[in-house]
Amino acid sequence: MGHPMAIDWDDLKVVLAISREGTLSAAARTLGTTQPTVSRRLDALERRLDAKLFDRDANGLRLTLLGRSLVEGLEQMDAGALSVQRQIAARDTGLSGEILVTSLDWLGDEVIAPMLARFGASHPGLTIELVNDTKVYNLARREADLAFRFGSFAQENLVERRVGNAAYALYASDDYLERHGQPDAANGFEGHRLVLLDRAAGEVPHESWLPALAHRARTVLHANGLRAHLAAVRGGAAMAVLPCFIAGGDCALRRVTVPHPMPVRAVRVGFHVDMRDTPRIRALVDFVVEAFSQVQGRLAPGNDATTADA
C-alpha cells in the first residue's frame, strides 16, 4: 500500500485564496506574492492530485466539484487555526507586542493617529501600526486587531464600543461668499456650486441631505477624499460638507447656516471577542475612550446636531 500524498499547507492556502478572490492576481495580492507564483503552485498541486480544482473562464476561476469539496474543509481548518491564533494572542499578560489598527480618511489621520502616538510613547514595549483604508478589514481573520469606523460593524463575534460623535457642516471660503453671497435654501441654492463625494461612494449619511436642499446648485466636482474637498473650498471654487473637526479650525473657512440640523456620525471601535481580555487591547481602548472625551467638543461642536448613523 502506498504512502498518503503529502500536501503543503501553503499550497492549500493558495487554493483558499483563489476561491475567495476569484482571480490569480487578486489571490496573489492577498497572499503577498506574485501571480506567476500562485499559478505555478496551483498547477503543481493539480498535477499531484491528477485533478482540476478550478475551471478557467473569461471571468476568472470557478471551483470544480472537487474544488468546492476541498475548500469546505479548508475553510474549517482555516477558521480553527485563526481561533487558535486569537487565543494565543489573548493570553498575552503584558503591555507589549504589536497592535494593528485600521481607520479611514481624516478620522485616522487627524484624530486616531495622535492618540495612538501618545499611547505608544507611554508604552515602549508596544509596536502600533495604523492603516487608513476604505477596505473593511476582517477582524475575525486577524487582518487587524482594532478598527475605527463610522456607524456599526457588520461582522459577527465582535465587541464594538461607541467612542464619540463626528459632526459635519456646510463650509465655504470668505472669497467664495463675497463673490456668490450666502446661499438661500428658498431658491434651492441657485447660483452656487458644490463639491460632493464621488458617486461610487453611494449615499453617505453626512451628505445625503444636501442635494435636496441645494437642488439648484451646480455640482462642479465629485471627489473621494477630504483633501480634494478642502482644496476646492479653500480655493473659493465651491462649497462642501466638511467635518467640523477639520474645517472649524480653519480661519479661511466659514460655516454656512442652513435650515437643516448638523449631521453627526457615530464613531465606533471594534475588535474580536477573543481579544476582549487582552491587556494591550483593553488598555488601548480605555485610553482612546478617554482621549475622545477630551476632543469631543471639537468633533461635534454646538447642540444643533442630529445623529446620521447610530
Side-chain angles (χ1 to χ4, degrees):
M1 186 167 65
H3 294 289
M5 182 183 300
I7 298 178
D8 191 332
W9 171 239
D10 286 338
D11 289 337
L12 297 178
K13 286 196 290 188
V14 166
V15 173
L16 198 54
I18 297 171
S19 73
R20 288 169 174 167
E21 302 298 333
T23 66
L24 295 174
S25 57
R29 286 193 296 272
T30 299
L31 295 169
T33 185
T34 64
Q35 178 177 335
T37 298
V38 170
S39 179
R40 186 168 57 250
R41 298 197 76 142
L42 175 60
D43 290 342
L45 178 59
E46 289 182 328
R47 283 196 302 272
R48 286 203 302 276
L49 296 175
D50 193 23
K52 287 292 183 185
L53 299 177
F54 294 91
D55 290 322
R56 281 76 166 171
D57 60 29
N59 297 319
L61 286 82
R62 293 181 295 106
L63 285 164
T64 62
L65 186 61
L66 173 62
R68 285 198 298 272
S69 176
L70 180 62
V71 165
E72 287 177 6
L74 291 178
E75 291 283 7
Q76 295 176 9
M77 292 172 61
D78 191 49
L82 289 168
S83 177
V84 170
Q85 290 177 21
R86 290 194 301 268
Q87 291 175 38
I88 292 173
R91 288 175 60 87
D92 291 347
T93 57
L95 294 181
S96 61
E98 299 181 356
I99 305 177
L100 175 58
V101 181
T102 71
S103 187
L104 68 167
D105 201 30
W106 68 271
L107 179 67
D109 288 336
E110 303 290 341
V111 182
I112 305 300
M115 295 178 182
L116 297 183
R118 291 199 303 275
F119 185 76
S122 301
H123 300 89
L126 288 174
T127 299
I128 304 174
E129 182 176 353
L130 173 64
V131 178
N132 276 336
D133 198 336
T134 55
K135 171 187 172 182
V136 178
Y137 285 76
N138 191 322
L139 300 180
R141 302 192 60 77
R142 294 214 67 205
E143 292 179 350
D145 297 305
L146 286 176
F148 289 89
R149 286 286 182 266
F150 294 116
S152 295
F153 289 77
Q155 298 173 23
E156 296 181 353
N157 298 319
L158 297 187
V159 176
E160 61 176 75
R161 185 169 178 180
R162 186 169 182 163
V163 294
N165 299 313
Y168 291 75
L170 184 64
Y171 286 89
S173 70
D174 288 329
D175 176 61
Y176 177 91
L177 293 174
E178 286 177 7
R179 287 184 288 111
H180 296 276
Q182 289 286 337
D184 185 359
N187 65 13
F189 285 17
E190 186 173 5
H192 284 272
R193 303 165 185 171
L194 299 173
V195 175
L196 300 177
L197 281 169
D198 64 315
R199 284 167 285 191
E203 185 174 293
V204 182
H206 67 265
E207 194 179 78
S208 59
W209 55 273
L210 185 57
L213 187 69
H215 58 275
R216 290 187 176 176
R218 185 161 67 94
T219 300
V220 297
L221 176 67
H222 290 274
N224 68 348
L226 174 70
R227 290 180 181 177
H229 289 229
L230 270 173
V233 175
R234 284 171 177 159
M239 302 182 295
V241 177
L242 301 171
C244 297
F245 186 85
I246 305 297
D250 192 322
C251 61
L253 302 183
R254 296 292 174 265
R255 180 175 162 183
V256 178
T257 301
V258 297
H260 187 281
M262 181 169 58
V264 173
R265 304 200 68 181
V267 181
R268 286 184 169 85
V269 61
F271 50 94
H272 196 275
V273 66
D274 287 350
M275 305 296 287
R276 177 173 47 197
D277 296 323
T278 306
R280 65 179 184 273
I281 300 299
R282 189 171 64 242
L284 178 53
V285 170
D286 289 344
F287 179 88
V288 166
V289 169
E290 174 60 26
F292 262 92
S293 71
Q294 295 173 9
V295 300
Q296 188 56 58
R298 292 171 56 204
L299 276 166
N303 298 315
D304 56 337
T306 182
T307 303
D309 50 0

